[in-house]
Amino acid sequence: MPSFDIVSEFDRHEATNAVDQANREVQTRFDFRGVDAHFTLEGESVALEAEADFQLQQMLDMLRGRLIARGIDARCMDVKEPELSGVKARQTVELKQGLEQADAKDIVKRIKATKAKVQAQIQGEKIRVTGKKRDDLQGVMALLRSEEGPDLPLQFDNFRD
């Protein structure tokens, strides 16, 4: 029976490359001349450090652009509140990976609401969708990519015919 997996993950190597590119951009931009601003990748979180709050917003836009350019969905970013101290401003961006249980249940509910002849099973941090026809599975993929789909960074892996 044809099947595929719905997952939410990103390539760590590409995330490292995106952070490195963003660091190089901060060093070369004119509006950041003489400013001590940098990105630091620590596991699945990126720490932004600058001298002012508005610079953090500009850095956040740079990071978002670099992640998108490297093929990482920007919806995986969970931006925390900035921490402002006298001299430094810090902000953390968590890169979310894996489907939470509530999100997985919502996706399964959306799939079942379509009345498509497929079965969806939650298996840890992924959802396995099986069906008799390949067209039904592609219809489910189209549904999840559309505007009615969840606002999550989803990928479709392990497609078997």
Side-chain angles (χ1 to χ4, degrees):
M1 281 179 62
S3 68
F4 70 91
D5 294 335
I6 302 170
V7 295
S8 179
E9 54 191 27
F10 63 91
D11 187 0
R12 291 182 197 277
H13 186 66
E14 292 296 335
T16 303
N17 290 340
V19 170
D20 290 343
Q21 284 180 338
N23 266 326
R24 274 187 251 123
E25 186 176 347
V26 164
Q27 293 169 0
T28 59
R29 276 186 44 167
F30 180 75
D31 53 345
F32 280 93
R33 292 254 192 252
V35 175
D36 182 29
H38 61 275
F39 297 91
T40 310
L41 181 66
E42 301 159 350
E44 291 186 359
S45 67
V46 180
L48 288 71
E49 192 167 315
E51 294 179 358
D53 185 32
F54 72 92
Q55 291 171 338
L56 285 178
Q57 291 302 316
Q58 292 174 335
M59 290 174 67
L60 196 59
D61 290 338
M62 276 188 256
L63 179 63
R64 185 175 287 117
R66 293 294 154 213
L67 287 173
I68 292 170
R70 301 300 275 169
I72 298 174
D73 196 335
R75 292 179 290 184
C76 75
M77 293 174 52
D78 182 22
V79 181
K80 305 292 184 193
E81 289 296 317
E83 303 167 13
L84 305 173
S85 64
V87 181
K88 291 280 184 190
R90 292 182 186 87
Q91 190 168 16
T92 305
V93 176
E94 295 288 331
L95 299 174
K96 296 184 293 185
Q97 186 161 289
L99 289 172
E100 295 178 9
Q101 195 71 20
D103 293 333
K105 286 182 181 180
D106 180 52
I107 292 171
V108 170
K109 187 188 303 181
R110 288 173 193 254
I111 292 171
K112 289 185 179 183
T114 64
K115 304 283 189 203
K117 294 184 179 179
V118 296
Q119 291 82 37
Q121 301 169 333
I122 300 172
Q123 297 179 343
E125 291 189 345
K126 64 181 180 179
I127 300 171
R128 168 83 37 98
V129 180
T130 57
K132 290 185 179 179
K133 295 183 181 177
R134 183 180 193 162
D135 293 340
D136 294 336
L137 297 179
Q138 289 173 341
V140 170
M141 286 182 190
L143 166 82
L144 294 175
R145 286 187 183 124
S146 71
E147 295 295 322
E148 294 88 35
D151 190 29
L152 296 170
L154 298 177
Q155 294 85 33
F156 306 105
D157 283 350
N158 205 15
F159 192 92
R160 309 261 169 143
D161 227 356

